[in-house]
Amino acid sequence: RRQAGLAVPGLVLAAMNEQALFDLELKVLLEALYQRYHYDFRSYAVSSLRRRMRQAMQRYECERLVDLQYRLLHEPELFAQAMQFFTVQVSEMFRDPAYFRELREQVVPVLRTYPSVKLWVAGCSTGEEVWSLAILLHEEGLLDRSIVYATDINPAALATAEAGAYGIDRMAQFSRNYLAAGGTASLSDYYATAYDGAVFDRQLRRNVVFADHSLATDTVFSEVHLVSCRNVLIYFNRDLQDRAVGLFREALVHRGFLGLGSKESLQFGCHHDAFDVCSREHRLYRKVA
């Protein structure tokens, strides 16, 4: 009976050791990728990386994480494909429409006071938010005197963003979001259809600069009036969140605006006192004087 009673704690301990071992292997993997490719995922949230690495192991038929590490280090083309498991590419046009309404009502009137405007979409993923902002700026008469920096670390995602081509089956949801966000026309006015895809008007991106930029390793590259970094910080640990917000703080002009995702906040970060809250509900902040 004593032996049977010890079995359960033993199983729990074994499970805990297995989890701890996986996390140790994960740490080694991230360090190896940094040394090999100079992509830094070491400060990404562990819980999210665990899940996505297990998905990658299944996708590439690797029984152990160390097997995946071997392939990623020895097959650069595989690492390029596997970027989808390190960066989350989930977005849609005018996502959280109320956020874009806040931009129209609170931010645009201030941006109009500047002779020229710069905006930074950090972690732009496949570009849906970039094209949304371009449409918003066009409708508010600001696009011609604006520069939009769209940055991400995933080359494939940046290529998709720059192409501005999305599945036609997504247009219905995009259109509903656009109207709820205060759109003044029809979203279909801004794209052409071909086969099963929709391609957005190239004129919308005439003042958009797509570029590789890492919030983990790179520095500020320009002074901007608005930073929109939505649903990116939730995948970072606290230190990396503070680093990213520090970059935004440094980049923003006096009284510049910062927009975050619906589940993100500055409340517990080290830069919380550097921003005033414009809309707590819609995660819109403004750099303090």
Side-chain angles (χ1 to χ4, degrees):
R1 284 194 297 270
R2 285 197 300 271
Q3 289 178 342
L6 290 172
V8 173
L11 289 174
V12 172
L13 182 59
M16 289 175 62
N17 287 339
E18 183 179 350
Q19 180 68 66
L21 183 59
F22 187 90
D23 287 352
L24 179 59
E25 291 180 333
L26 178 58
K27 185 180 294 186
V28 172
L29 168 62
L30 300 180
E31 180 64 36
L33 293 178
Y34 177 66
Q35 296 296 332
R36 176 77 165 89
Y37 299 110
H38 306 293
Y39 280 91
D40 194 352
F41 305 108
R42 295 174 298 177
S43 295
Y44 280 44
V46 174
S47 58
S48 178
L49 280 173
R50 281 194 205 111
R51 182 178 65 256
R52 286 182 274 146
M53 287 307 97
R54 289 194 169 100
Q55 291 172 351
M57 290 165 61
Q58 183 177 14
R59 169 66 177 81
Y60 298 116
E61 299 180 345
C62 297
E63 289 188 11
R64 302 173 301 169
L65 190 58
V66 68
D67 299 326
L68 178 64
Q69 174 180 305
Y70 182 89
R71 291 198 62 189
L72 292 176
L73 293 179
H74 289 82
E75 303 175 41
E77 68 282 357
L78 183 70
F79 173 68
Q81 296 175 19
M83 282 289 286
Q84 62 179 307
F85 294 102
F86 292 93
T87 59
V88 179
Q89 310 298 325
V90 178
S91 187
E92 62 185 37
M93 292 193 69
F94 297 96
R95 184 179 183 179
D96 301 323
Y99 169 78
F100 287 90
R101 276 191 173 274
E102 287 293 311
L103 295 185
R104 286 185 187 268
E105 295 170 5
Q106 291 205 49
V107 179
V108 165
V110 177
L111 297 183
R112 284 203 180 99
T113 67
Y114 294 97
S116 61
V117 178
K118 293 182 179 180
L119 302 87
W120 178 13
V121 183
C124 71
S125 184
T126 45
E128 288 88 340
E129 182 170 346
V130 178
W131 290 93
S132 301
L133 279 174
I135 291 171
L136 186 153
L137 292 170
H138 167 73
E139 293 183 348
E140 297 296 334
L142 286 172
L143 185 58
D144 286 336
R145 53 189 172 106
S146 298
I147 296 177
V148 180
Y149 299 105
T151 65
D152 202 274
I153 64 170
N154 188 328
L158 278 173
T160 299
E162 190 165 4
Y166 305 102
I168 194 66
D169 58 314
R170 304 181 69 192
M171 291 302 111
Q173 182 61 54
F174 289 178
S175 294
R176 287 191 290 270
N177 290 351
Y178 164 75
L179 292 174
T184 60
S186 170
L187 188 64
S188 61
D189 295 339
Y190 298 109
Y191 65 82
T193 58
Y195 303 105
D196 59 349
V199 181
F200 280 85
D201 188 344
R202 305 298 290 176
Q203 285 299 307
L204 288 171
R205 59 139 300 177
R206 61 186 180 275
N207 292 337
V208 179
V209 179
F210 293 92
D212 179 277
H213 183 276
S214 170
L215 295 173
T217 58
D218 293 330
T219 57
V220 170
F221 55 86
S222 181
E223 188 176 58
V224 299
H225 302 83
L226 166 68
V227 175
S228 190
C229 181
R230 307 181 65 233
N231 306 299
V232 175
L233 298 184
I234 55 175
Y235 299 108
F236 295 170
N237 67 18
R238 175 61 63 192
D239 288 342
L240 186 51
Q241 289 178 7
D242 286 341
R243 185 188 196 278
V245 176
L247 292 180
F248 304 153
R249 178 181 181 178
E250 184 180 351
L252 284 168
V253 300
H254 173 78
R255 300 296 286 155
F257 293 91
L258 170 63
L260 300 180
S262 60
K263 297 180 180 179
E264 298 166 332
S265 172
L266 298 180
Q267 184 175 358
F268 302 108
C270 69
H271 299 284
H272 72 277
D273 58 351
F275 293 88
D276 292 326
V277 178
C278 294
S279 173
R280 192 174 304 278
E281 180 183 1
H282 304 301
R283 301 303 194 267
L284 187 62
Y285 304 86
R286 195 170 186 186
K287 187 175 175 180
V288 299

